[in-house]
Amino acid sequence: MRLILRFFGFLFSAGAVVFVLLAAAGAFFYWKYSQDLPDHAALANYEPPVMTRLHAADGSLLAEYARERRLYLPIQAMPKIVVAAFLSAEDKNFYKHGGIDPEGIVRAVLTNAKSGKKQGASTITQQVAKNFLLTNEQTLDRKVREALIALRIEATYSKDKILELYLNEIFLGTIVPGRNLHGVAAAALDYFGKSVHELTINEAAYLAALPKGPNNYHPYRQTQKALDRRNEIIGLMAQNGYITREEGDAARKMPLGVNPRVAFPNAANANYFTEEVRREISERYGEKKLYEGGLSVRATLDPKMQAWARKALVDGLIRYDQQHGWRGPLTRVDLTGRDWGMAVAEVPALGDVAPWRLAVVLSTAGGSVQVGLQPRREASGAVTKERETGTILPDGMRWIGRGAGALSAGDVVYVEAMEGGRGQFRLRQKPELSGAIVAMDPYTGRVHAMVGGFSFDESEFNRATQAQRQPGSSFKPIVYSAALDNGYTPSSIVQDSPITIEAGPGQEAWTPSNYDGKSGGPHTLRYGIEHSKNLMTVRLAKDVGMPLIAEYARRFGVYDDMLPVLPMSLGAGETTVMRMVTAYSMLANGGRRIRPTLIDRIQDRTGETIYRHDNRKCVGCDAEKWSGQDEPKLVDDSEQVLDPLTAYQMVSIMEGVVQRGTATILKQIGKPLAGKTGTTNDAKDAWFVGFSPDLAVGVYLGFDKPRSLGDRATGGGLAAPIVLDFLKNALKDKPPTPFRVPPGIKLIRVSASSGMRAGSGEGAGTILEAFKPGTAPPDAYVAQPAAPPPGAVPPDADRAAQAGGLY
């Protein structure tokens, strides 16, 4: 008996020692593997990366910025059928285990031993844990650390929260090239073109098949495997009681139904705009916030205006390019013994020039040009087997002047389908000329449309915001605004006569000239803008003083620090289209400063507004109900950069540019418009910037490596027609609202040629001129003797002086 007790005592002691050793070993291993694991606080504060989405003013999706494309959906909003599919496919015991599933481990071991296939036993919690690990290497150390993190996650989160993280985290492959999908909400959009709430049983089951290896079940490359795995999951859903047997049988008969969405219908038109927004957000918040912060950005872009602006600019560039001849094919391919479709498929094509298509010339026999169109690609990226051919009609290549003889078999060219003719095309050519257009709300600075070049795919350089070019005569309104703000009137007389500016000792004198090389004597200040007279502008700037004009240029945002020399009065400095349109907007809005913006509002992932462009105060907007009080009022406390009366005088003068001056092509719109053309030295740049009462727009044209546009090129001939095409659409449904006349302005009929008050019988040759109080021409003029004594002021000069001064 004593021996038995002693034996059991030995066993107990040995067991205690073993237990202590095992406990010590377990503690050591736990200490070792938990050294660099995230603590509970880090887990509790974890937020998975969520993509930033950019919406246009009408709510349509413009772009997404992400490294991992993910839309985060709370578990409460997750459809039950989706939850059922993923639990059946990945972890049916999820709501029973504590992070590690012993039953699943045993089942995986038995399955692996029986079938020889490798089956994992990771729970959903363990898969979430992978996101906290540095690598995905298949080692024992990593699996131990993964299990420990899973236990910590279970101690930190509720089951619903863990499932929420999983369904929003899991990688679900790529169906649209370049778009890596994470989470079921983003995958539902890209695979099926629908919201996750619209998924059917078979669609949810297919998504649930993807975590095991998206490439293994790719809908195009591994269609049968994808169907088999999807049907297996549908069977598990029925077996687990989530759907009936009948529902499962019906779902298994369905095709995969993958239908990749067209993510951004306005992308081709708005690439320059969306890239500018991306840069701004990155500079404001950093790349991590941009690509992972889940921001919701509401842009100012109007998709219709953007489309009109892009078409107007592209048409203008093509118009100029075709007038300057055919430069030859894009490239050539050898068609000998080859499928022409594969040959032309290998040529890179611009993706944003639709409806243009790349084509290869197959034959020019008999003067008829037969072409084969570049084959389209499937969603998988494979070239389709379908081959399309057509004919370039003589009318479609008349502009090249040489007919079919200009082309030969193997030439790769762009073509565009002709209206109403199947298989009939016109020849196209990428323009060398470039340019930009910006359309803006002159009262808020909201940019409705911005196009920075012919093709974003060809060049991401944004000529609306990045191209520094001379504005030429489109800068003159800033000079004349400074003059009107400092004693001049629209009827002031300025000499349009030769002038030479001495540059100083040892330097060559500067002798400016008008565009036509002529001079015309004394004219009104209005005439100097309407007909863009350089000599008058230089004389005016010399009198007003270039330091003052430099200050006005700074106020209007055209230049930050303009060199105060006289050539700058003719637009010899460099600025951007965006700056010029912003400056003109300040004239249109009565002289108030605005900040151009492409973004209305930014919200973070929780919906809180973190940025708003319009910070005007709204008095009375927070009233709970209307009780007879005054209407709410927006208080605009923006800086007044120009006297409102001066601003209107400039608007009135620039209306004359459209009515009688260098931009009369815009008269055909038949609505109040004002603006100014611009052409630089050697015609290297052509401009038009202008506005209606509620819309400002500017166009610049020029070569990226500046060279002359041609001897007869002008802003009125090249840029203004583009603005015309745009405004025909943009103002089509707008009433002909006149420009707003501010209180204090006196409208007086004067002679258009002399600026003097018109007599009662005068009609032709008179205009209504805008004057500030006390500056109008007198009702009567000082009578002069028939023969003035020596030294007296000539009568005409005296009358002109009384009208505002002779210079």
Side-chain angles (χ1 to χ4, degrees), residues 70 96 108 143 156 166 198 219 225 231 334 443 500 566 573 659 675 698 784 792:
R70 177 184 290 106
K96 298 177 182 178
K143 294 297 291 184
T156 304
Y166 172 77
E198 301 173 289
K225 282 187 177 181
N231 291 342
D334 184 3
Y443 288 88
T500 297
L566 281 170
Q659 294 301 315
Q784 298 295 327

Side-chain angles (χ1 to χ4, degrees), residues 99-416:
I100 301 171
D101 184 11
E103 178 186 331
I105 294 173
V106 171
R107 184 171 60 250
V109 170
L110 293 176
T111 300
N112 292 342
K114 185 182 298 184
S115 65
K117 295 180 180 179
K118 187 176 182 181
Q119 178 177 319
S122 291
T123 64
I124 281 177
T125 312
Q126 286 176 277
Q127 293 184 56
V128 171
K130 290 180 183 179
N131 294 295
F132 298 100
L133 299 175
L134 297 177
T135 68
N136 284 324
E137 58 182 343
Q138 296 296 318
T139 63
L140 178 61
D141 280 5
R142 193 196 67 80
K143 294 297 291 184
V144 172
R145 292 170 67 229
E146 178 186 293
L148 292 176
I149 293 177
L151 295 174
R152 286 194 177 185
I153 289 174
E154 291 276 350
T156 304
Y157 290 121
S158 67
K159 283 288 189 179
D160 282 349
K161 184 63 177 178
I162 295 169
L163 187 57
E164 176 183 302
L165 285 172
Y166 172 77
L167 292 174
N168 285 288
E169 273 280 358
I170 194 70
F171 175 61
L172 295 174
T174 301
I175 188 63
V176 179
R179 295 171 56 83
N180 294 326
L181 301 170
H182 292 259
V184 295
L189 283 174
D190 268 29
Y191 278 100
F192 300 108
K194 59 175 66 174
S195 162
V196 68
H197 300 92
E198 301 173 289
L199 292 177
T200 59
I201 292 172
N202 54 291
E203 290 167 345
Y206 174 67
L207 293 186
L210 296 174
K212 284 287 189 287
N215 288 331
N216 297 335
Y217 305 111
H218 193 279
Y220 303 123
R221 295 191 291 268
Q222 302 287 351
T223 306
Q224 191 56 51
K225 282 187 177 181
L227 280 168
D228 292 345
R229 177 59 179 159
R230 183 205 68 177
N231 291 342
E232 181 184 347
I233 292 171
I234 292 173
L236 292 173
M237 292 170 70
Q239 181 180 319
N240 294 332
Y242 293 117
I243 58 175
T244 66
R245 185 183 301 276
E246 292 74 20
E247 288 173 326
D249 291 341
R252 276 191 288 262
K253 295 177 182 178
M254 299 295 291
L256 282 178
V258 170
N259 180 31
R261 67 164 172 159
V262 178
F264 317 117
N266 299 307
N269 288 331
N271 280 335
Y272 286 103
F273 190 102
T274 58
E275 174 59 16
E276 194 73 15
V277 171
R278 188 201 66 79
R279 280 197 293 262
E280 182 175 339
I281 297 175
S282 180
E283 290 172 4
R284 186 184 295 271
Y285 300 110
E287 288 203 354
K288 183 175 178 62
K289 194 80 167 178
L290 169 66
Y291 292 113
E292 301 178 11
L295 302 177
S296 176
V297 183
R298 179 56 63 94
T300 61
L301 180 137
D302 180 322
K304 288 183 179 179
M305 280 200 191
Q306 181 70 20
W308 294 332
R310 183 168 185 268
K311 186 177 188 308
L313 179 66
V314 167
D315 286 352
L317 296 175
I318 293 172
R319 206 160 41 231
Y320 174 92
D321 193 68
Q322 291 189 350
Q323 289 170 359
H324 289 77
W326 171 246
R327 293 189 302 278
L330 192 67
T331 186
R332 287 185 52 79
V333 294
D334 184 3
L335 301 181
T336 306
R338 294 187 67 186
D339 170 15
W340 62 260
M342 294 306 296
V344 72
E346 295 171 358
V347 180
L350 298 176
D352 58 352
V353 294
W356 291 16
R357 296 274 301 276
L358 210 58
V360 60
V361 175
L362 301 177
S363 167
T364 60
S368 176
V369 179
Q370 301 297 315
V371 295
L373 301 181
Q374 186 178 57
R376 302 184 188 275
R377 292 184 180 272
E378 298 173 346
S380 64
V383 176
T384 61
K385 295 181 180 179
E386 182 183 1
R387 298 292 181 263
E388 301 173 73
T389 60
T391 304
I392 301 179
L393 297 181
D395 280 351
M397 55 191 305
R398 195 181 306 279
W399 62 273
I400 68 175
R402 288 174 285 165
L407 298 172
S408 58
D411 285 349
V412 178
V413 297
Y414 277 105
V415 296
E416 180 184 15

